[in-house]
Every structure is written in structure tokens, then in C-alpha cells.
Amino acid sequence: MLKAIFYILSFITVASAIYTVTCRNLARAVFVFFTTLFCLAGIYVFAFADFIAITQIMVYVGGIVILMLFGIMLSNRNVFAVLTDPKAETKLFPINVIGGILLSLVVLAGLLSIVWLANVGQLSWIKQNTLENISYVGGENSAHVLGVNFMTTYLLPFEAISVYLLAVLIGAAYLARRKRVR
């Protein structure tokens, strides 16, 4: 069951990352990028990196994606008219996408060769932990402990930041929609 969830998260992460890179609609690309980062946080949970998963959600999913949306809202609409044109989505493979796919395949081949040459399964500390049946049980870095700390000890700073980000969002929406008088 866990293996299936991991493979589903991995597939969604890779598929949404590819769609983010190839999508010509900038607003849609940012929302799909949100999915990529959120699924990546799920993969971090499978790697027992609870703190990094929570940080991924709070900083990248919560902050960077909102920052990108602010950039789209506050930018000159004429500059991004080509990127948000829904008719531009119908092109199957423009020449720059083919170059990007080839470059991605070269990087993927390089990464796979590094993993193959590293021979991770033969590392002494991994073999020793496997033979002794030692596994990570999740002590003080578990998501439960971090969640309790975020909702008790650090509740006021997170609430203050959320109110601040809401005010910034409202201000950015006001500035983006305001009609200029000439």
C-alpha cells in the first residue's frame, strides 16, 4: 500500500513538473507547480524527513507559489499576453520544447549514471544497518512533535505571518486591479 502511494506521488510529481515546464499559460503553470511542490513534500515524508516536508509546505508551497502569483498579478499584462494565450497551448511541440526535452534527458542520463556508479547498495553503513535490522523510528523530528510545537509554542508567530500575508495578498490584488487615471 505504501509503495503504491509512493509511486503515485512520484508519478504526479514528475508529470506536473513536466507540465509546468512545457505549459505556456503562466498562471496554470504556477498552479501545477504548486502540485509538484506539494507531492514532493509527500515524498519527503516517505524519506523520514518530516521537518523538510513541513518546511517544503510552509515555505515553498505557501510562500514561493504566492510570490509567483503576485508577480503575475503585478506585472504588465501586455508582456505576458503570449504566455497566457489559451490558443498557444494547442501547439504540440514547438522547437524550444524539443530542446528542453533533450537537455532534460541528458541531465537525467547523467544523474542515473552517477547513481549507478555510486553503487549505493554496497555502502558499508547501509549493509550493516540492513543486516542488524535497524530502522528509523521517528523520535523528536516526527511530524507529530513538529505539529504540536507549531500549534502551541510557535502559534502566535505563524498567525501573525498569516495575517501579514493576507494583507499583502489583498494589497497586491488591489494594485493589480486598480484602474490608472491619465
Side-chain angles (χ1 to χ4, degrees):
M1 178 67 180
L2 291 176
K3 201 176 210 182
I5 294 172
F6 175 77
Y7 284 127
I8 290 170
L9 281 175
S10 300
F11 175 76
I12 293 172
T13 302
V14 171
S16 60
I18 290 171
Y19 185 78
T20 299
V21 173
T22 58
C23 180
R24 294 188 56 104
N25 186 324
L26 193 58
R28 187 176 297 151
V30 170
F31 284 114
V32 174
F33 185 59
F34 169 81
T35 305
T36 304
L37 293 176
F38 199 78
C39 288
L40 189 59
I43 292 173
Y44 285 145
V45 169
F46 275 100
F48 296 112
D50 299 332
F51 180 74
I52 295 175
I54 292 171
T55 305
Q56 172 84 10
I57 291 171
M58 296 179 88
V59 173
Y60 290 107
V61 174
I64 303 299
V65 172
I66 297 298
L67 183 66
M68 288 178 177
L69 289 174
F70 286 166
I72 291 171
M73 287 175 14
L74 294 175
S75 62
N76 186 356
R77 295 190 195 287
N78 296 331
V79 173
F80 291 106
V82 174
L83 295 175
T84 58
D85 183 20
K87 293 177 184 167
E89 292 272 336
T90 59
K91 292 183 181 178
L92 186 58
F93 281 112
I95 192 71
N96 57 354
V97 173
I98 294 172
I101 289 173
L102 289 176
L103 180 64
S104 299
L105 290 175
V106 168
V107 170
L108 178 65
L111 288 173
L112 289 176
S113 68
I114 289 172
V115 169
W116 180 262
L117 292 174
N119 204 5
V120 178
Q122 299 301 319
L123 294 174
S124 61
W125 63 275
I126 291 179
K127 286 173 116 179
Q128 180 182 0
N129 288 343
T130 304
L131 290 175
E132 295 174 8
N133 200 15
I134 297 174
S135 62
Y136 178 74
V137 294
E140 70 269 353
N141 275 347
S142 70
H144 175 71
V145 173
L146 289 171
V148 168
N149 281 334
F150 284 148
M151 292 299 136
T152 56
T153 308
Y154 302 109
L155 182 64
L156 184 61
F158 282 114
E159 290 298 324
I161 289 171
S162 68
V163 169
Y164 175 72
L165 286 175
L166 180 62
V168 169
L169 178 64
I170 292 169
Y174 174 74
L175 289 174
R177 300 291 178 209
R178 183 175 55 171
K179 303 241 183 203
R180 291 190 167 78
V181 178
R182 294 182 193 199

